Amino acid sequence: MTVRRTMHLAAHFPGVNNTTVWTDPRSGSQIDFSSFEHLARTAERGLFDFFFLAEGLRLREHKGRIHDLDVVGRPESLTVLNALAAVTERLGLAATVNATFNEPFELARRFATLDHLSGGRAAWNVVTSSDAFTGENFRRGGFLDRADRYTRAAEAVAAARAVWDSWTPGGEPGPFAHRGDHFDIAGEFGLPRSPQGRPVLIQAGDSDEGREFAASAADVIFTRHGTLEAGRAFYADVKRRLAAYGRRPEELKIMPGVTVVLGDTPAEARERAAEIRRRQISPATALLALEQVWGADLSGYDPDGPLPGFDPVPGAQLTQGRAGRGDALATAEKWRALAQEKGLSIRQTVIEASARQSFIGTPEEVAAELTDFVAREAADGFILVPQVTPGGLDDFVDRVVPLLQERGVFRTAYEGGTLRSHLGLAPTAPTD
Ligand SMILES: Cc1cc2nc3c(=O)[nH]c(=O)nc-3n(C[C@H](O)[C@H](O)[C@H](O)COP(=O)(O)O)c2cc1C
């Protein structure tokens, strides 16, 4: 028998990627404030825990050119969230901000400001992406070794916490100091302790160091492990790491990024899902995905024809500004096996191998499956990534949220005012 556990929900404003079907006629701007406002208001109507913004500091390139299969460009997250704080009341507001290229004092100040302006709704997704390509935007260039990313991130968070905690509980400014390998700072902070004390901290890296960092410092993990099996393995792994830091499993919420496709019947949902996959992976996107794995110019290949007969080029990196190729040979072998087994073309293989569709079905089926994931400890909740901006979660909020409420696994009203309280996390004390 499974135990009933309540879940947390968040809305991901789509970044520049092909999860979003930008060719959909309902698709709006990724820059206009009205798009952010629409999705945030929908999330608040659905009583979501938080609204989430990703960050991309440099436009991606492929074969030396701007990656023009995506929409490109997005505004700075904290500015957007401060504006959203004025048009929402309870919804948490989470910004992804890099710890490699920013100073902790400045980060502490900006997040404390958001926490004040929003009445305790701020969250910081601490990312580390320190590739030299992104680093070229910044004074220090690609100075940071991959291995040092998390030591700097951990120090940036520790230093920011010293700043946030520097005011006395009685409301007097006090000195802060942090001395370490990456930062040596001391002074006084110009802002009183904010409603949450510090923002909710989110972590999104997947390496061993990333998981350890999350176990030591994060309140929420945003993960890609969105299938039941992978989710359960990830969940058990990360929760197990908490004890070493004197933390309990419920102090860290695990939230995979997932997509949902709804239909009035199971067949209609499956049809829609297939149509979305075809739109997400256009013939040009399929070739690009293939080139990313093979590390070679394959523009002469027919997307409706067979996969290349040769192996990926070792060490080649045609794409800049996104995660590396991983084990290209292993991916190529998996794709070839898939193509052979099902008789698939290049495009069909890419669709089959890379489409991110987690929950497909009627609202009842999706509500049941989400509930099951949480009951079976594959997740504590979900970060929903819509396929259309900005209206892509309207149906979920109208049709699935009420069913989750009926099942008793999702709130029917916000109870507290802060994001920490939505997440069921204890208030912070300066010594936490
Ligand atoms: C689900 C997920 C979402 C992420 N979102 C962002 C993002 O918006 N911006 C960014 O710069 N990096 C993002 N990252 C990258 C991570 O911060 C990290 O730099 C990357 O995963 C490499 O760290 P790792 O080796 O620990 O996985 C994301 C990673 C994951 C798993």
Side-chain angles (χ1 to χ4, degrees):
M1 201 187 92
T2 48
V3 188
R4 194 175 71 180
R5 298 204 307 139
T6 54
M7 69 176 69
H8 300 283
L9 293 175
H12 183 290
F13 188 89
V16 285
N17 56 49
N18 62 355
T19 301
T20 309
V21 181
W22 296 105
T23 54
D24 191 304
R26 293 167 301 162
S27 221
S29 163
Q30 86 282 15
I31 293 185
D32 283 356
F33 184 65
S34 60
S35 291
F36 295 100
E37 186 177 10
H38 182 113
L39 191 68
R41 283 190 191 278
T42 307
E44 189 161 72
R45 183 160 57 80
L47 306 174
F48 280 27
D49 294 73
F50 61 92
F51 172 93
F52 181 93
L53 286 175
E55 180 181 73
L57 291 171
R58 183 161 178 185
L59 301 183
R60 289 175 189 169
E61 288 181 10
H62 183 69
K63 295 193 284 189
R65 296 212 322 264
I66 300 292
H67 180 352
D68 61 3
L69 295 175
D70 294 333
V71 293
V72 292
R74 51 182 142 194
E76 191 279 313
S77 301
L78 276 161
T79 311
V80 173
L81 294 186
N82 281 313
L84 288 178
V87 297
T88 53
E89 286 177 5
R90 298 293 194 98
L91 183 67
L93 301 165
T96 302
V97 181
N98 200 288
T100 302
F101 305 117
N102 293 295
E103 292 295 321
F105 180 84
E106 189 54 20
L107 288 168
R109 201 164 73 94
R110 291 164 66 201
F111 276 100
T113 301
L114 176 62
D115 208 46
H116 275 293
L117 293 184
S118 65
R121 299 188 277 138
W124 174 18
N125 179 30
V126 186
V127 294
T128 60
S129 42
S130 65
D131 57 279
F133 176 72
T134 306
E136 284 174 11
N137 278 351
F138 298 88
R139 176 171 56 88
R140 292 187 177 85
F143 81 103
L144 202 59
D145 266 7
R146 204 167 179 276
D148 289 334
R149 293 170 319 159
Y150 282 111
T151 53
R152 179 174 161 120
E155 253 201 75
V157 169
R161 284 177 71 153
V163 174
W164 289 319
D165 288 347
S166 62
W167 282 55
T168 66
E172 297 295 321
F176 71 81
H178 172 90
R179 307 209 182 282
D181 294 339
H182 293 279
F183 308 106
D184 183 356
I185 60 172
E188 276 172 7
F189 188 40
L191 264 180
R193 208 173 152 73
S194 70
Q196 292 188 109
R198 58 175 168 82
V200 166
L201 294 174
I202 306 176
Q203 192 278 343
D206 195 31
S207 59
D208 198 55
E209 295 92 327
R211 293 179 188 205
E212 212 54 41
F213 172 52
S216 71
D219 303 302
V220 175
I221 296 188
F222 175 22
T223 164
R224 292 201 176 93
H225 299 287
T227 63
L228 186 62
E229 250 169 62
R232 279 172 58 81
F234 181 79
Y235 191 100
D237 176 76
V238 174
K239 298 265 179 173
R240 198 171 38 233
R241 293 172 192 249
L242 288 164
Y245 300 96
R247 304 180 71 201
R248 285 171 293 121
E250 58 274 23
E251 290 178 46
L252 176 60
K253 308 295 178 192
I254 296 181
M255 299 179 69
V258 300
T259 58
V260 171
V261 182
L262 297 174
D264 290 336
T265 62
E268 189 191 279
R270 280 198 301 274
E271 249 167 60
R272 268 197 196 158
E275 177 56 25
I276 290 170
R277 283 202 295 272
R278 277 193 295 276
R279 285 171 171 235
Q280 284 170 329
I281 312 284
S282 66
T285 300
L287 273 190
L288 181 126
L290 197 71
E291 289 182 337
Q292 282 172 352
V293 173
W294 257 260
D297 181 351
L298 303 174
S299 48
Y301 277 70
D302 176 3
D304 296 323
L307 269 70
F310 64 93
D311 285 344
V313 181
Q317 182 84 35
L318 289 190
T319 308
Q320 301 255 48
R322 55 167 288 155
R325 297 161 75 207
D327 184 346
L329 188 58
T331 307
E333 275 167 7
K334 209 165 69 189
W335 286 16
R336 278 192 195 128
L338 188 69
Q340 194 161 13
E341 184 197 328
K342 300 194 176 177
L344 304 178
S345 68
I346 287 174
R347 182 174 174 211
Q348 289 165 331
T349 306
V350 176
I351 287 174
E352 187 89 4
S354 63
R356 281 179 258 161
Q357 284 179 325
S358 328
F359 299 95
I360 301 167
T362 62
E364 290 75 13
E365 285 174 331
V366 168
E369 221 184 325
L370 293 173
T371 306
D372 187 51
F373 259 59
V374 173
R376 294 175 67 185
E377 301 197 327
D380 292 311
F382 306 92
I383 297 186
L384 300 175
V385 187
Q387 288 110 346
V388 173
T389 301
L393 291 182
D394 295 3
D395 276 357
F396 183 91
V397 165
D398 292 336
R399 304 182 67 190
V400 181
V401 167
L403 299 176
L404 296 173
Q405 291 167 329
E406 268 172 35
R407 288 171 168 267
V409 295
F410 193 62
R411 67 176 63 86
T412 51
Y414 285 117
E415 280 162 25
T418 66
L419 175 54
R420 292 192 71 80
S421 106
H422 304 339
L423 288 167
L425 299 168
T428 56
T431 48
D432 275 359

